Amino acid sequence: MRAIRLLGVTGVLVAAMLLAPNALAAGQWYARADVSYNYLPDNGWVSSGTSIHTVSKKGEGIDLALGRDLGRVWAGGGIRGEFELKWKYNDVDSLSNGGQPLSGVTGHTRMVALMYNLYNDFMPESRFDPYLGVGIGYASVRFGNFYGYDATTSTSYALDASDSAFAYQAFAGFKVRMNSSVALDFAYNWFMLGNVTVQSGAGTTGTTYHTSTATIGVDWDF
């Protein structure tokens, strides 16, 4: 099943490049590197037939992208497309069962994704350039070494599993050009992974993964 998903997203990404406007040939390549600070909303999972509530700490991430600026191809601004590699990490803050906090809590959530993004730059010729963007791709998320102990029932709960699925994201941000080759990039990114199902003990459990992220980065034109 994962192989079929991977083939599917590869086809989508290739099609996105092939169907790009003819103006692509006149564009300029750029590379981008971001650092990010992300919020992973509370979620849950099931262990030994019990629903466990997870609260995660604020996390960090890194984004690397290679893209091409297509120029001002319509009256509303300029279009650019890029491939992006994303990495996000959050430690677990607390686990609870029916509102009862568990003790000895450990765990982290780690996500890696390959995305293809399209942006609209509203003022591509200006020093200050606001933009909006959307992206689609494929991601893998790991819930690593989740563990908590309920002293009232002398029961421990654990999860250590991963899953992969299609991913979607949207951007709102702006660039501030420092010179003809370098720009600072500030953005808000909303990211969502599709259905996530992981192995928990003898059964499976569904959970969610979506983040709200603030990023700051540098773009280099070449």
Side-chain angles (χ1 to χ4, degrees), residues 10-208:
T10 300
V12 170
L13 297 179
V14 171
M17 293 297 287
L18 293 178
L19 296 176
N22 291 333
L24 181 67
Q28 184 176 32
W29 289 96
Y30 69 90
R32 190 185 80 248
D34 297 333
V35 293
S36 64
Y37 182 72
N38 74 77
Y39 166 67
L40 177 63
D42 303 350
N43 56 12
W45 43 283
V46 175
S47 176
S48 302
T50 300
S51 295
I52 305 300
H53 181 71
T54 299
V55 176
S56 296
K57 297 178 181 179
K58 303 298 190 298
E60 62 276 351
I62 298 173
D63 305 332
L64 301 175
L66 177 65
R68 195 154 188 173
D69 183 357
L70 311 182
R72 184 176 282 277
V73 298
W74 72 300
I79 303 296
R80 56 189 163 98
E82 67 176 26
F83 283 103
E84 178 191 35
L85 180 65
K86 304 178 76 71
W87 175 85
K88 297 176 184 286
Y89 185 94
N90 296 81
D91 282 317
V92 170
D93 189 28
S94 66
L95 301 175
S96 60
N97 172 15
Q100 177 66 35
L102 304 183
S103 60
V105 170
T106 63
H108 65 269
T109 303
R110 184 179 66 248
M111 190 282 303
V112 178
L114 176 63
M115 309 294 292
Y116 182 77
N117 307 317
L118 285 173
Y119 298 87
N120 186 90
D121 291 305
F122 292 99
M123 297 187 294
E125 297 92 355
S126 301
R127 183 170 183 268
F128 175 79
D129 176 23
Y131 62 80
L132 293 174
V134 293
I136 185 173
Y138 198 69
S140 176
V141 61
R142 180 167 188 81
F143 305 95
N145 299 315
F146 280 31
Y147 175 83
Y149 180 74
D150 188 342
T152 61
T153 61
S154 300
T155 305
S156 60
Y157 302 98
L159 175 68
D160 188 42
S162 62
D163 193 21
S164 300
F166 284 102
Y168 317 89
Q169 63 181 347
F171 301 88
F174 61 91
K175 295 193 294 184
V176 179
R177 186 155 293 282
M178 308 305 291
N179 55 48
S180 60
S181 300
V182 177
L184 297 181
D185 195 314
F186 304 86
Y188 164 80
N189 169 227
W190 177 83
F191 179 93
M192 179 177 182
L193 200 61
N195 294 330
V196 178
T197 303
V198 292
Q199 190 73 25
S200 176
T204 59
T205 179
T207 187
T208 60

Side-chain angles (χ1 to χ4, degrees), residues 203-221:
T204 59
T205 179
T207 187
T208 60
Y209 182 90
H210 58 94
T211 59
S212 296
T213 304
T215 68
I216 180 172
V218 180
D219 294 10
W220 294 272
D221 295 336

